[in-house]
Amino acid sequence: MILEHRSYTFKPGTVDGWLKKYEAEGLPVQKRHLNRFVGLYVSEIGHLHTTVLMWAYDSLADREKRRTAMYADPDWQSFINGIWSLDAIQSQDVMIMNPAPFSPGA
């Protein structure tokens, strides 16, 4: 198993609008394609206006196959075009993480 850890930093005042759009339009598409949703977290202390989104995959090949299918989905393309028009995201950081040998799912 691998974990994809995505963090997004938003312009102040834009996180709530993004969360509503993501919950209503983006997450359903991703659940259809990516399957193992670990969670979405919003910063409260520290680096504010930040979210962390995590998905689990069997392997990098599994991730690539699933994300390729998602990118081809017209519902995803519509969602992502709407996200860019919000002009809310300042930065994005993506990490692929491997579990330590003693972690659950290793």
Side-chain angles (χ1 to χ4, degrees):
M1 178 189 82
I2 62 169
L3 184 73
E4 180 175 24
H5 177 285
R6 293 177 162 260
S7 60
Y8 298 90
T9 302
F10 293 85
K11 293 178 181 174
T14 62
V15 174
D16 287 341
W18 179 87
L19 284 170
K20 287 177 185 166
K21 187 167 185 62
Y22 179 73
E23 180 182 20
E25 300 173 30
L27 184 58
V29 176
Q30 287 191 312
K31 282 184 171 180
R32 246 189 349 255
H33 291 284
L34 305 184
N35 196 25
R36 295 192 318 200
F37 179 54
V38 176
L40 173 62
Y41 302 87
V42 181
S43 64
E44 184 174 326
I45 298 172
H47 194 126
L48 300 178
H49 317 295
T50 299
T51 64
V52 173
L53 183 59
M54 290 183 279
W55 291 89
Y57 301 95
D58 294 334
S59 65
L60 282 173
D62 178 46
R63 177 186 177 272
E64 182 178 345
K65 179 184 83 168
R66 290 176 178 279
R67 292 192 73 84
T68 297
M70 181 185 73
Y71 295 146
D73 187 322
D75 291 338
W76 179 255
Q77 293 171 14
S78 175
F79 165 73
I80 206 68
N81 287 334
I83 286 299
W84 297 135
S85 70
L86 290 177
D87 193 33
I89 299 172
Q90 287 185 327
S91 66
Q92 173 183 356
D93 185 45
V94 180
M95 291 188 294
I96 300 297
M97 304 177 79
N98 294 310
F102 51 83
S103 291

